[in-house]
Amino acid sequence: MESNLAVARLSALAQPNRLAVFRLLVRAGNEGMSAGEIARSLNVAANTLSSQLNILSHAGLVTSTRDGRSIIYRAAFNAMADLMVYLVEDCCQGHAEVCASISEITDRIACCG
């Protein structure tokens, strides 16, 4: 990953409302959520949400598909995984004890049971 892309993704997440939208979409999983559902869940105005979703989408963190009259938004899990790897990929420089805490953190990620 290029550093400019990493900065764009981190910048997109560096705002409370956008971070809340992204975390909500992560919890929604591959099913995703419509813009209306997101707005109701987070109590956000539609025009504000539209702006937040555009920023997340341009950063590659959110995808969207049309489903009839609705647009379904999903977290781009591969993009987030790539960002996480980029942040820590060279952390230990041959010293495994440096990355031990990162490995412990990834074991704590509460997904799929």
Side-chain angles (χ1 to χ4, degrees):
M1 172 181 295
E2 293 182 19
S3 63
N4 288 342
L5 180 56
V7 168
R9 289 181 176 167
L10 291 168
S11 295
L13 294 171
Q15 196 274 347
N17 291 333
R18 289 192 298 270
L19 183 58
V21 169
F22 184 77
R23 294 191 69 209
L24 181 64
L25 291 173
V26 166
R27 286 190 300 275
N30 289 327
E31 186 176 318
M33 297 178 79
S34 70
E37 290 175 300
I38 297 168
R40 282 187 294 279
S41 294
L42 298 176
N43 196 27
V44 176
N47 61 340
T48 300
L49 178 62
S50 177
S51 174
Q52 306 299 4
L53 288 166
N54 279 331
I55 291 168
L56 290 166
S57 180
H58 286 308
L61 293 169
V62 169
T63 62
S64 61
T65 55
R66 183 164 291 282
D67 182 19
R69 292 176 52 194
S70 296
I71 298 176
I72 305 299
Y73 293 91
R74 293 173 183 85
F77 291 102
N78 287 341
M80 189 63 194
D82 289 345
L83 177 60
M84 292 171 67
V85 168
Y86 175 79
L87 292 172
V88 298
E89 68 186 338
D90 296 321
C91 70
C92 68
Q93 298 292 309
H95 303 284
E97 69 278 3
V98 174
C99 289
S101 62
I102 293 172
S103 180
E104 290 170 12
I105 291 167
T106 58
D107 289 343
R108 288 183 11 215
I109 295 173
C111 63
C112 305

